[in-house]
Amino acid sequence: MGVCLVLHHFRKDRGPQHNYKLWTRLMLSEAELVATKTKSKGSQAQSPLTQNVTAIQGGTATLTCKVEQNDNTSLQWSNPAQQTLYFDDKKALRDNRIELVRSSWHELSINISDVTLSDEGQYTCSLFTMPVKTAKAFLIVLGVPQTPVISGFKGPVNEGDLVDLTCTTVGSKPAANIRWFKGDKEIRDVPSIKEPDSKGKTFTVRSTLGLQVDRNDDGVTVSCSVDHESLQSSPQVAKQVLDIQYVPSVKIDFSRNFAREGDELRLECRATGNPTPEAVKWKKDGAELPDPDRMVVEGNVLIISALNKTDNGTYYCEAANTMGHNSAEYILFVYDAPISPSPTISTPSSPSTRTPVTIATSTTKLTAVSRARDPSALAGQSGPDHAVIGGVVAVVVFITLCLVIVLGRYLARHKGTYLTNEAKGAEDAPDADTAIINAEGSQANAEDKKEYFI
C-alpha cells in the first residue's frame, strides 16, 4: 500500500534525484513495517515456490507462485527482462496476452497466451519480505515444425531406375525427427541433417531416401513422418505416389482343366503394365487363329466352341505398350468324348441250347471291361444281359456248323454217283457221254451195285 502512495507522489517537474530519495524512503518505510509485523507476530514468512513450464508455440503458458504461510506480504511476477508483469492483482505491463488467473496472499498465477519463441526465458516470483525472497521459473517454448515437403521425384520413371526422395521440415525446436515409410512398412536407418536457422532458435531438418524401383513399386505410396514433442499424438506427414513404367506382364486363365471333344473352352488373357497395354492378340502355333467361326475373340477372352482334335496345339496371348511387349502360352490337348453305356438287349434263348460254362465266363469279362471304361457308373445299375447274348452266339455257331456238315455230305454223295455211272458206261461206250447215258439206262436194275464215296 505504501508503494502505491509513493508512486502517486512522483512528479515529472522534479528532478530524478528527488524521486530517487522518495523511492528510497518508501522502501525503507516498507521494510520497517514488514520487520515490525514480523517481530510482533514472532514468525518468519516462507520463501515462494515455483515450477518450470513448457509451452507449445502459439499455446498458453501458466506461471504459478505459491507461499504456504504469508503475513499479507505482496507477490510479484517479472519477465526475463525484469519487467513487472503483475504486482499482486495489479497489472503492470500492458500486454493483452498476459492475464491474471488467481491472486491471494498465498498464490499469484498468471497466463501468457499465444506464446512465441521470444517469450522463452527465466521468470521471477518475488515475495516482498525483508530481505526480498525470490523463486525462478524457466519457460520453455517448443517450436512446432511445419508440414514436411517431399521433393526429388520427377515421374514417371522406368523400372530399374534409382530415385532419390528428400523430405524437408522447418521451424522445429528442438530439432524434429523424420521417419520414412513405404506403404505400411517403415524404412529404418535413413540419415537426416539438422541445421539451425539464422536466429539460432529453430531447426531445418532434411532426410534423403534412395530407392531402386521395380514394377511392384508402381502405385505404392512413400511417406515421410515428422515426429516432435509439440505434435503430441498427431505427427505431420507428406506423401508421394510412385509412378513406375514397365513392360506388360501376361497371364492366361482357363475355364476348364480337362477339355473333351464337343466342350466349350474360354481362355482369358490378363495383361498388366504401365502404360496400360494395348488390345491383346491371340495366335495358335505362331500363326493366326485357323477357325474364326469357332474361335471368337471378345475383348481379351478367346472362346473355342465344339472342341475337336484339330484344336490341339499351343495358343499365345500377346500384349504390348511403349515399354515393350510380352506373351504367355497355353497348351491345349482335347480328349475323346465320354463313351455312353450300351443299351440293354434281352433275347430269349432255349435252355437246351445254352452253354452254362461259356456264358458265365463271358459275363465276368464283359462286366470287367464295362467298369474300366466307365468308372463313374452308379452302384447297382444293371448293364446288358451278356449271358443271353453269349447263348445266342453259341446257338448260331452251332447251327452254322451243322449246316456246313450236312451240305458237305450232300455234295460228296452226288459226286460219287457221277463217277460210278461214268465207270459203268465206259465199258461199251465210245466216249464219256455215251457211257453216262448207258449207265443211267441200266440204273434201275442195278441199285444193289451202286458205290458211295464219302
Side-chain angles (χ1 to χ4, degrees):
M1 192 65 180
V3 174
C4 296
L5 292 175
V6 171
L7 287 177
H8 179 71
H9 287 288
F10 277 2
R11 297 282 301 275
K12 293 183 179 181
D13 54 347
R14 297 186 180 184
Q17 186 175 2
H18 173 78
N19 291 335
Y20 175 75
K21 292 181 179 180
L22 185 60
W23 174 260
T24 304
R25 188 191 307 173
L26 169 65
M27 296 303 298
L28 290 175
S29 300
E30 188 73 18
E32 291 175 357
L33 178 62
V34 171
T36 302
K37 290 183 177 179
T38 304
K39 186 176 181 180
S40 61
K41 292 184 177 180
S43 62
Q44 186 176 3
Q46 295 185 355
S47 300
L49 301 176
T50 59
Q51 289 184 341
N52 294 335
V53 177
T54 300
I56 299 174
Q57 184 180 6
T60 300
T62 302
L63 301 175
T64 300
C65 180
K66 292 184 178 181
V67 180
E68 292 184 1
Q69 297 180 3
N70 193 359
D71 51 0
N72 300 334
T73 304
S74 298
L75 290 171
Q76 171 186 290
W77 269 113
S78 302
N79 63 12
Q82 295 303 312
Q83 295 174 321
T84 301
L85 302 179
Y86 265 89
F87 187 84
D88 289 336
D89 59 349
K90 298 175 178 63
K91 186 174 183 178
L93 186 66
R94 292 183 178 181
D95 189 340
N96 296 330
R97 300 179 303 125
I98 302 174
E99 297 178 350
L100 179 65
V101 176
R102 179 179 300 175
S103 176
S104 66
W105 296 117
H106 299 284
E107 179 181 345
L108 179 60
S109 296
I110 60 174
N111 275 347
I112 304 176
S113 60
D114 195 17
V115 176
T116 64
L117 296 176
S118 61
D119 293 325
E120 184 175 82
Q122 183 172 272
Y123 288 75
T124 304
C125 175
S126 301
L127 177 64
F128 283 93
T129 58
M130 196 62 183
V132 177
K133 295 183 178 180
T134 60
K136 307 294 183 179
F138 201 91
L139 173 60
I140 301 172
V141 180
L142 302 179
V144 180
Q146 296 182 9
T147 303
V149 177
I150 295 179
S151 59
F153 184 81
K154 299 178 180 179
V157 297
N158 297 336
E159 183 178 20
D161 288 351
L162 181 63
V163 177
D164 290 329
L165 303 178
T166 300
C167 179
T168 305
T169 179
V170 299
S172 60
K173 178 183 172 296
N177 296 319
I178 293 179
R179 295 192 299 162
W180 286 97
F181 294 86
K182 183 179 177 182
D184 296 331
K185 184 178 180 181
E186 182 177 0
I187 304 175
R188 299 183 179 275
D189 301 327
V190 181
S192 59
I193 299 175
K194 302 176 181 181
E195 299 176 347
D197 296 334
S198 58
K199 296 182 179 180
K201 292 185 177 182
T202 59
F203 293 85
T204 297
V205 184
R206 293 185 181 90
S207 178
T208 300
L209 172 67
L211 291 175
Q212 186 168 11
V213 296
D214 57 28
R215 64 186 57 201
N216 296 324
D217 296 325
D218 184 41
V220 174
T221 300
V222 176
S223 58
C224 73
S225 173
V226 176
D227 290 344
H228 194 262
E229 52 188 310
S230 66
L231 301 176
Q232 298 178 353
S233 61
S234 57
Q236 294 180 344
V237 180
K239 298 181 179 181
Q240 175 66 60
V241 179
L242 301 180
D243 186 5
I244 313 300
Q245 293 185 338
Y246 58 94
V247 177
S249 299
V250 185
K251 179 184 178 182
I252 296 178
D253 293 335
F254 41 89
S255 60
R256 58 177 70 243
N257 295 323
F258 194 77
R260 294 180 180 270
E261 289 183 310
D263 291 343
E264 179 184 275
L265 178 64
R266 300 174 68 93
L267 301 178
E268 183 177 2
C269 181
R270 296 185 178 273
T272 58
N274 187 15
T276 303
E278 302 170 359
V280 300
K281 296 181 180 179
W282 284 97
K283 293 184 179 180
K284 179 189 177 186
D285 298 328
E288 300 296 329
L289 297 176
D291 192 349
D293 294 334
R294 293 188 305 107
M295 300 178 179
V296 180
V297 178
E298 295 182 356
N300 62 338
V301 179
L302 172 61
I303 304 174
I304 307 176
S305 58
L307 290 172
N308 57 57
K309 295 291 185 179
T310 63
D311 298 327
N312 290 342
T314 303
Y315 291 81
Y316 296 90
C317 169
E318 298 180 352
N321 61 9
T322 56
M323 297 297 296
H325 62 86
N326 207 344
S327 64
E329 65 178 33
Y330 173 81
I331 300 175
L332 173 62
F333 182 81
V334 180
Y335 293 87
D336 295 333
I339 301 175
S340 301
S342 303
T344 303
I345 301 176
S346 178
T347 304
S349 60
S350 175
S352 60
T353 60
R354 186 176 298 175
T355 306
V357 176
T358 303
I359 292 173
T361 304
S362 300
T363 301
T364 303
K365 291 181 178 179
L366 288 173
T367 302
V369 172
S370 176
R371 289 178 179 173
R373 289 184 178 179
D374 190 7
S376 62
L378 297 175
Q381 181 178 356
S382 61
D385 192 348
H386 300 290
V388 175
I389 296 175
V392 172
V393 173
V395 171
V396 172
V397 172
F398 178 75
I399 294 174
T400 303
L401 291 176
C402 292
L403 290 176
V404 171
I405 294 173
V406 172
L407 181 59
R409 290 178 63 86
Y410 176 76
L411 294 176
R413 180 178 177 182
H414 281 274
K415 182 178 180 183
T417 304
Y418 174 79
L419 293 176
T420 303
N421 291 339
E422 183 180 3
K424 287 180 63 180
E427 296 177 357
D428 300 328
D431 52 31
D433 293 335
T434 305
I436 291 174
I437 295 172
N438 292 336
E440 288 179 355
S442 59
Q443 184 177 1
N445 298 323
E447 285 292 331
D448 55 341
K449 297 181 180 180
K450 291 181 179 179
E451 298 179 7
Y452 296 90
F453 294 90
I454 300 175

